[in-house]
Amino acid sequence: MADRRRREFLTFLGGGIVAAWPLAASAPQTAALIGFLVSGAADSFAIFVEAFKQGMRDNGMIEGRDYVLDLRYADGDYSRFPTLAAEVVQRKPAAIVVTTISAARAAQRASSAIPIVMTGLIDPVGQGLIASLARPGGNTTGLDNLAQDVMPKLVEILRGTFPAIRDIAVLFNPANPANRELSKSMPAQAGSMGVTVRLIEFTTVAELDATFAALARQTAEALVVMSDAALYDLREPISALALKHRFPTIAYVPEFTDAGALMSYGPPRRAMYHRTAEYVEDIDRREAC
């Protein structure tokens, strides 16, 4: 089943992971509590939460009848995840859905028994969350979004669209451990294409204007935006500033184009949240047997 699911999901640049959860001897016939550690803000992540709920409905799970969500929002502050994870674990949920590496790590530290389901994280194997895609081990399962393999493609697409471009800025969040790792490999990967990469660290919302103004004074000719919840929350001001300073922009998250970015290249995020529901429903069904 793991191989079949993975082949299906690779059609939109993701990878499926399945773990064998132990069957519970008995379970009360009540609505299952599902913890949900959300990396961004409630308003910006609403479309993804709704996609998850739709996935649950499509698998016969009705909110309020079969399950209830315990939504915890970090609002882009990843240092909050240990506290949020501990709060969720205290309520003894049937599963915990995690939306970023830091959330997954916090959930793993908070519980080694409660199933943890990834919505599509960056390189969970390289980040040490699971042993492998085929055999994740432990109490973690879900989806890998393969951003570690796709990010160089964004530079390639920019070069193909604008052949004269030689200097590209890459905006990333250093608070995101996966972003930090990707940023280390980007210069060499871009260099093999004849492009210089200028790594730009996101710090605070207040400094976005100054960051783009500095880029405009320098030699950057285009912008790549990495996949990150804090950056996703700011997709509208980032896209507006890129347009103001005439930076052709490509993002890994497709929803950036809805906010005004020129291009995106990455898996459809809403489809990944929808697919995550299959894992949660499977866990709940097994525990109810």
Side-chain angles (χ1 to χ4, degrees), residues 78-90:
Y78 296 172
S79 67
R80 297 180 60 195
F81 279 126
T83 299
L84 297 178
E87 291 172 352
V88 168
V89 167
Q90 284 181 349

Side-chain angles (χ1 to χ4, degrees), residues 177-280:
N179 272 204
R180 289 199 305 269
E181 290 303 313
L182 286 175
S183 69
K184 293 176 183 177
S185 59
M186 286 290 288
Q189 292 168 336
S192 66
M193 304 176 205
V195 175
T196 298
V197 160
R198 188 184 304 274
L199 295 173
I200 307 299
E201 293 189 3
F202 166 75
T203 51
T204 65
V205 178
E207 295 184 15
L208 271 180
D209 282 340
T211 296
F212 274 83
L215 283 176
R217 291 192 299 270
Q218 298 166 6
T219 58
E221 301 168 285
L223 178 69
V224 170
V225 183
M226 283 195 182
S227 175
D228 173 74
L231 299 180
Y232 170 78
D233 280 351
L234 297 171
R235 61 195 181 280
E236 291 186 0
I238 288 173
S239 299
L241 284 167
L243 183 62
K244 174 183 176 181
H245 293 288
R246 302 179 66 81
F247 292 136
T249 299
I250 186 169
Y252 181 76
V253 179
E255 286 73 22
F256 261 84
T257 55
D258 297 335
L262 179 64
M263 298 180 286
S264 68
Y265 185 77
R269 296 286 298 279
R270 276 171 278 200
M272 298 180 80
Y273 279 77
H274 185 280
R275 178 67 184 277
T276 299
E278 293 184 24
Y279 292 86
V280 175

Side-chain angles (χ1 to χ4, degrees), residues 3-39:
D3 289 341
R4 178 178 63 79
R5 285 183 173 180
R6 186 160 186 253
R7 284 196 299 271
E8 291 173 352
F9 197 61
L10 280 171
T11 60
F12 59 95
L13 301 177
I17 307 165
V18 174
W21 302 107
L23 299 180
S26 62
Q29 297 301 309
T30 58
L33 179 66
I34 307 298
F36 215 115
L37 298 179
V38 183
S39 45

